[in-house]
Amino acid sequence: MQLMNAANESFEKVASYGLMPNMIIYLMSDYKMNVGNAQNLLYFWTAALNFLPILGAFLADSFAGRFLTIGIGSIISLSGMLVLWMTTVLPQAKPPPCDPSTNSCQSPTAGQYALLIAAFTLMSIGAGGVRTCSQAFGADQIDRRDNPKNKRVLESFFNWYYACGCLSVVIALTVIVYIQDHFGWRIGFGIPVVLMFLSSLSFLLASRLYVNVEVKNSLFLSLAHAIVAAFKNRKTSLSIQGSNVLYYQRRDSFPSVVPSDSLRFLNKACIIRDSEDIGPDGLARNPWTLCTVEDVEGLKSLLRIIPIWSSSIMMSVGFGSFPVLLAKTMDRHVGAKFEIPAASFGTFLVIVIVIWIPIYDRVLLPLASKICRRPVRLSVKLRMGIGLVFLFLSLLSAGIVEHVRRQRAVSEGFENNPQGVIHMSAMWTVPQYIFGGLAEAFNGIGQNEFYYSELPKNMSSIATSLSGLGFAVGSLIASLILNVVNDVTRKGGKEGWIASNVNRGRYDYYYWLLAILSFLNVVYYVFCSWVYGPLLEHKEVKEDELAMLRNTNGHEKEITT
């Protein structure tokens, strides 16, 4: 059942990721959009794909449950892909071909735009249901009792889940993209529809075999209680803390806990001011005026990680779909006959991730530990910082390669011919994907580990959604940067950096601008990391050492840090 569920999302990923790489070419060629408008639309689509899973998590945890959320999401996503495929079949769904004699093109009508946006909207809503719950729903199928064998099965499931996800992206960026390039949009968009249909059908047919976990109190509602209660009790004095103050906490809390001193103003939400605040059953009469210490501490943990989370937004501000346009002007042949599709070069990024993880975990760390004669491990904050440095190198190298490519295009007489192929191998773009893959391997995976380890265990659903939220915000910021650059560089009737004719634009300047912003982001991350202080795992180590000394000597000894 676990692998069947992983296969379900793998089909969805192959279908959705297979549509995305070449989409900018489809919008420019068939919908007659300029490069700026097409990229902006894709940025908004990416933002929706990454933001809606958070709403899906809220619905699944609070009302619908995971199975129903995945099932409805699969059907909606299938509907969106079907609508998009219809734009390749129905001539009225998009503008007619340009008139070659007059070189004039018609812009899309309002109805044609509406149909296209409806397809993107449905796919985004569907992905919000499928990607939100698939991993957690698969883990639900495993017996959670305290059994070492079950824990090993759970670990194996997460490994296979990640492997299936990577394999899905590779297939999407190679097979699906190749079909689109060589057999046209109708077949290239039709295959994802078939895959999504098989995904939805297999998931629904196995409904009786799945374990459905009962919906409990919403974590999002608990956080809302803490925020509202702190605001309503804002006039409560905190000067009496540490004396005989009573704090409201969960019944199963043992030993009794008190709120931490960080962000003390939130502690007002859990102070019992009157005995009437607690009902006969021991529960708060009004959770909007009194919440538990645990809810307050969960909210504090979430607020504390926001600065570091914000530094990772830059990970999704990068290239957009521009590398696809640039690669189409370069020689993409490997050997005499095989030509790599322009949209498939993103596969190098995924391959780097897949190769680097086992080398880092199984080769480099054991070798370093053997040389140093002690366990060697890079802290999660250090790995996240290293990832941001690799992101800077990726953007810097992309700018250098694009600068050389543009000079070659001008010197070969292709300045006014963006369809011409220059005498420069597209393999020169591979280093930027290698650096990008290392950035994702260090920062992307480090983000998930950081959120999961620093947030309370009952906030695991939020922890797994934060990186997606960062991608959503990053896509919106990328759209803002693109529009500002367009507006500034087009003043005075100039072509502008982001031109539809890539040989006349200055994409190298654009990449270097992003590289500068990325470097400043590294400095910002270092500051945020310093302000954050020690990780929770370091604090737990000290507490374990203290407990061990107590048990050994019968009294507490001072531990120097």
Side-chain angles (χ1 to χ4, degrees), residues 401-416:
V401 172
E402 168 55 19
H403 185 72
V404 175
R405 187 209 66 81
R406 185 181 182 279
Q407 285 185 329
R408 185 71 61 87
V410 172
S411 64
E412 294 180 6
F414 290 112
E415 185 174 5
N416 296 317

Side-chain angles (χ1 to χ4, degrees), residues 446-507:
Q447 277 189 68
N448 291 328
E449 182 180 342
F450 174 74
Y451 304 144
Y452 188 83
S453 60
E454 293 299 296
L455 291 177
K457 296 303 179 185
N458 66 327
M459 298 180 68
S460 298
S461 59
I462 290 182
T464 56
S465 302
L466 282 173
S467 58
L469 179 60
F471 273 100
V473 176
S475 297
L476 297 178
I477 293 177
S479 177
L480 175 63
I481 294 174
L482 176 64
N483 289 329
V484 171
V485 169
N486 259 335
D487 292 341
V488 172
T489 58
R490 284 180 177 176
K491 286 184 178 180
K494 297 180 181 178
E495 185 78 25
W497 290 2
I498 312 300
S500 296
N501 184 340
V502 295
N503 294 333
R504 295 173 63 180
R506 297 309 308 237
Y507 287 82

Side-chain angles (χ1 to χ4, degrees), residues 48-111:
L49 285 172
N50 287 285
F51 177 74
L52 288 177
I54 298 177
L55 297 182
F58 172 76
L59 293 174
D61 291 346
S62 305
F63 306 106
R66 289 168 182 157
F67 172 79
L68 186 59
T69 302
I70 296 174
I72 295 176
S74 299
I75 295 173
I76 294 176
S77 186
L78 173 62
S79 302
M81 293 180 184
L82 188 60
V83 172
L84 183 64
W85 176 72
M86 288 174 58
T87 64
T88 67
V89 176
L90 302 177
Q92 301 84 358
K94 58 187 177 183
C98 297
D99 187 350
S101 59
T102 61
N103 198 26
S104 61
C105 302
Q106 295 183 20
S107 300
T109 64

Side-chain angles (χ1 to χ4, degrees), residues 248-251 272 277-285 290 292:
Y248 178 53
Q249 53 192 340
R250 295 193 186 121
R251 284 179 166 182
I272 301 176
D277 293 341
I278 306 297
D281 54 359
L283 300 177
R285 292 183 184 275
L290 178 65
T292 65

Side-chain angles (χ1 to χ4, degrees), residues 94-416:
K94 58 187 177 183
C98 297
D99 187 350
S101 59
T102 61
N103 198 26
S104 61
C105 302
Q106 295 183 20
S107 300
T109 64
Q112 292 167 343
Y113 263 127
L115 188 65
L116 179 66
I117 294 176
F120 288 155
T121 302
L122 289 172
M123 286 188 288
S124 301
I125 295 174
V130 176
R131 299 181 189 180
T132 296
C133 307
S134 288
Q135 186 172 6
F137 183 74
D140 288 343
Q141 311 309 306
I142 300 172
D143 189 352
R144 298 264 182 121
R145 289 174 295 182
D146 190 13
N147 186 325
K149 184 178 293 185
N150 293 335
K151 293 180 180 179
R152 181 67 188 93
V153 172
L154 186 63
E155 179 184 357
S156 177
F157 165 74
F158 282 118
N159 289 336
W160 277 104
Y161 188 92
Y162 184 81
C164 288
C166 290
L167 180 61
S168 302
V169 176
V170 171
I171 293 175
L173 294 178
T174 53
V175 179
I176 305 298
V177 168
Y178 182 87
I179 292 173
Q180 292 170 358
D181 278 6
H182 290 80
F183 296 95
W185 303 118
R186 187 173 300 182
I187 297 177
F189 286 1
I191 290 178
V193 174
V194 175
L195 293 176
M196 196 65 225
F197 174 76
L198 294 176
S199 171
S200 305
L201 182 63
S202 63
F203 181 79
L204 295 176
L205 289 178
S207 59
R208 295 185 178 182
L209 304 177
Y210 288 125
V211 175
N212 292 313
V213 177
E214 183 181 356
V215 177
K216 298 181 179 180
N217 293 331
S218 170
L219 176 61
F220 295 90
L221 197 58
S222 299
L223 294 176
H225 286 161
I227 295 173
V228 174
F231 177 77
K232 287 186 174 182
N233 301 332
R234 62 189 181 279
K235 295 182 179 180
T236 301
S237 175
L238 290 172
S239 60
I240 58 174
Q241 276 193 257
S243 53
N244 295 322
V245 180
L246 294 178
Y247 297 101
Y248 178 53
Q249 53 192 340
R250 295 193 186 121
R251 284 179 166 182
D252 57 354
S253 296
F254 183 82
S256 297
V257 293
V258 296
S260 62
D261 289 332
S262 63
L263 302 174
R264 292 179 69 241
F265 65 93
L266 293 176
N267 294 351
K268 299 176 181 181
C270 57
I271 295 179
I272 301 176
R273 298 167 297 165
D274 193 323
S275 59
E276 294 298 322
D277 293 341
I278 306 297
D281 54 359
L283 300 177
R285 292 183 184 275
N286 186 356
W288 295 103
T289 58
L290 178 65
C291 64
T292 65
V293 175
E294 291 81 1
D295 291 340
V296 170
E297 291 303 306
L299 178 59
K300 288 181 180 181
S301 299
L302 186 61
L303 292 176
R304 288 185 68 235
I305 67 173
I306 286 179
I308 289 184
W309 167 83
S310 65
S311 69
S312 299
I313 291 176
M314 193 67 197
M315 290 289 296
S316 57
V317 177
F319 305 106
S321 300
F322 297 145
V324 179
L325 300 177
L326 301 175
K328 284 183 69 69
T329 69
M330 305 172 75
D331 181 8
R332 293 174 279 116
H333 283 89
V334 177
K337 297 182 178 180
F338 182 72
E339 184 179 41
I340 302 176
S344 293
F345 277 84
T347 310
F348 289 105
L349 187 148
V350 183
I351 292 174
V352 168
I353 297 175
V354 174
I355 293 177
W356 172 257
I357 291 175
I359 291 178
Y360 170 79
D361 190 58
R362 299 299 180 182
V363 178
L364 296 182
L365 287 185
L367 181 61
S369 300
K370 186 176 182 180
I371 294 174
C372 298
R373 297 182 180 180
R374 61 178 177 82
V376 174
R377 177 178 174 269
L378 299 181
S379 70
V380 63
K381 288 200 298 184
L382 178 59
R383 279 181 279 142
M384 291 170 67
I386 292 174
L388 294 179
V389 172
F390 276 122
L391 175 64
F392 162 72
L393 295 177
S394 177
L395 293 167
L396 182 64
S397 64
I400 294 173
V401 172
E402 168 55 19
H403 185 72
V404 175
R405 187 209 66 81
R406 185 181 182 279
Q407 285 185 329
R408 185 71 61 87
V410 172
S411 64
E412 294 180 6
F414 290 112
E415 185 174 5
N416 296 317

